[in-house]
Amino acid sequence: EAPCVDECPVDQHVPLYMNLVRQGRFAEAVAVTRQDNPLPTALGKVCYHPCESTCIRTHPLLRGYGGTTLAPWIASPSLK
């Protein structure tokens, strides 16, 4: 299990949905996100993101595009 999943208060499977987004499989990414988090858009905005302190994806090109950015975006009603 990735360190970020261990730190997440709702146990989001961040690496899994990030990989699905990377592959363009947005509907599946939303489904993964909603397995553990029924309100990803709202919770993604109010969460204090403890996962970021343990994230192993530290490459500069990935900063700002981690799970905390993607979860609310993939669950946005405008993508449906």
Side-chain angles (χ1 to χ4, degrees):
E1 189 100 350
C4 58
V5 177
D6 291 336
E7 289 296 319
C8 180
V10 295
D11 297 321
Q12 287 278 254
H13 296 282
V14 178
L16 178 56
Y17 74 70
M18 286 182 70
N19 284 329
L20 291 168
V21 168
R22 190 175 301 119
Q23 296 169 23
R25 297 163 55 189
F26 302 113
E28 291 172 72
V30 170
V32 167
T33 302
R34 290 184 185 219
Q35 286 175 357
D36 303 309
N37 182 355
L39 303 168
T41 304
L43 290 179
K45 292 177 183 175
V46 299
C47 181
Y48 63 98
H49 310 301
C51 56
E52 291 179 349
S53 64
T54 61
C55 182
I56 59 173
R57 297 177 188 270
T58 58
H59 191 280
L61 293 176
L62 294 175
R63 289 190 189 128
Y65 295 99
T68 59
T69 302
L70 292 177
W73 180 77
I74 61 173
S76 172
S78 64
L79 293 176
K80 295 179 177 55

